[in-house]
Amino acid sequence: MTYSVALTAACLAAFANFAALHIPVYALIAIAGLVAALWLSLRTAPLRALDPDALWDAGFFAIIAAFVVSRALGFLLLFVIERGRLTLSFRDVLQFSSLSYLSLLVTGTAVVVWLRWKRLPILRVMDAWAPCAALLWSAISFAEASAGTSNGLPTRLPWGVRSAAGVRVHPVALYTAAAALVLCGALFSLLRRVSIPGRVAAFAMVAAGVIVFLFDMLRTPEQPFGHGLLDLSQWLALASILFGACLFTVAPAPEVR
């Protein structure tokens, strides 16, 4: 794992230099969240009878895959927008930093292939990664709050934050960060008590879907003048809840230790 640690540090440092081109605070908090999630995976791996080094390497692969896929899709999108122009600058590609839903899907597929190649049990890996993902989610949400993004609808509540337009709005990113941190603690506790593979991951998917669905009601709609019943993020939240419910029904009743 020593080689992986050194390689991880080098890649994260490079990512910090790239991201620092426009949002250094966001990048710093995001990197801290990645490191914390990887560190937590070393603690959750034994709770699912997994090799900590193997889980660390799988997490490192997931991070690199997410970075590469998002940049590749960003390049393709910019290429389409430019209508065939081949003069896209390297800085423009680096500035396309947000991970789209498509890039997450492609990354997830690559990670599943990696786990199958390394002969790691997917359900147990998902269980071990569940608290780590919640911790990373909390860090990313806190980073969004520090960058002044992901604020919500106007509010008169005393803890509302002032937006760029001078209106007090719901700090939805802070709400999400707090909820994800609580979820991380709950999932870690479940890992110590529930032994059925897939049950902790199922609970994580249902809980995360509920959190996203509810807090999205406090955000500005993605298409304020559209005719859609729900935003895309809410549909994906419902899909997460449904998938988690399917895991609950497939897995047998848990044995509490």
Side-chain angles (χ1 to χ4, degrees):
M1 189 179 66
T2 304
Y3 173 76
S4 296
V5 172
L7 189 57
T8 301
C11 291
L12 291 180
F15 175 75
N17 290 331
F18 293 155
L21 291 175
H22 57 143
I23 309 180
V25 176
Y26 182 99
L28 182 62
I29 298 176
I31 290 173
L34 288 173
V35 173
L38 287 173
W39 173 84
L40 184 59
S41 70
L42 300 178
R43 303 299 184 270
T44 59
L47 299 177
R48 278 297 178 263
L50 296 170
D51 180 15
D53 290 352
L55 194 62
W56 173 287
D57 291 340
F60 173 72
F61 172 81
I63 293 172
I64 297 302
F67 181 80
V68 172
V69 169
S70 64
R71 290 306 185 270
L73 291 179
F75 179 83
L76 290 177
L77 178 60
L78 289 173
F79 181 81
V80 171
I81 293 175
E82 291 288 330
R83 300 190 181 191
R85 281 181 53 190
L86 300 178
T87 58
L88 297 176
S89 69
F90 188 57
R91 182 184 178 89
D92 289 336
V93 176
L94 291 177
Q95 286 181 343
F96 193 88
S97 58
S98 59
L99 291 178
S100 65
Y101 297 122
L102 178 60
S103 69
L104 291 178
L105 177 62
V106 175
T107 300
T109 303
V111 171
V112 170
V113 172
W114 172 275
L115 295 177
R116 297 287 293 178
W117 177 45
K118 294 295 183 177
R119 295 194 173 104
L120 291 172
I122 295 179
L123 287 181
R124 284 194 284 159
V125 170
M126 289 173 61
D127 285 344
W129 271 350
C132 308
L135 181 60
L136 178 58
W137 184 20
S138 178
I140 295 297
S141 298
F142 185 72
E144 291 178 349
S146 67
T149 60
S150 294
N151 289 325
L153 297 172
T155 180
R156 295 181 179 179
L157 296 174
W159 55 79
V161 297
R162 194 166 297 279
S163 65
V167 180
R168 297 186 69 85
V169 296
H170 283 284
V172 180
L174 290 180
Y175 296 164
T176 305
L181 192 59
V182 172
L183 179 61
C184 174
L187 294 174
F188 188 81
S189 177
L190 281 177
L191 273 179
R192 303 173 65 91
R193 299 172 54 245
V194 179
S195 58
I196 298 299
R199 185 53 60 95
V200 175
F203 179 83
M205 290 182 179
V206 172
V210 171
I211 291 172
V212 171
F213 188 88
L214 294 179
F215 285 163
D216 198 70
M217 295 181 179
L218 299 177
R219 299 180 188 272
T220 304
E222 296 176 1
Q223 296 181 354
F225 303 104
H227 300 287
L229 180 62
L230 299 172
D231 287 341
L232 177 58
S233 58
Q234 290 180 311
W235 285 114
L236 293 176
L238 291 178
S240 177
I241 295 173
L242 179 61
F243 188 77
C246 291
L247 281 182
F248 270 120
T249 59
V250 170
E255 299 176 358
V256 180
R257 294 198 289 255

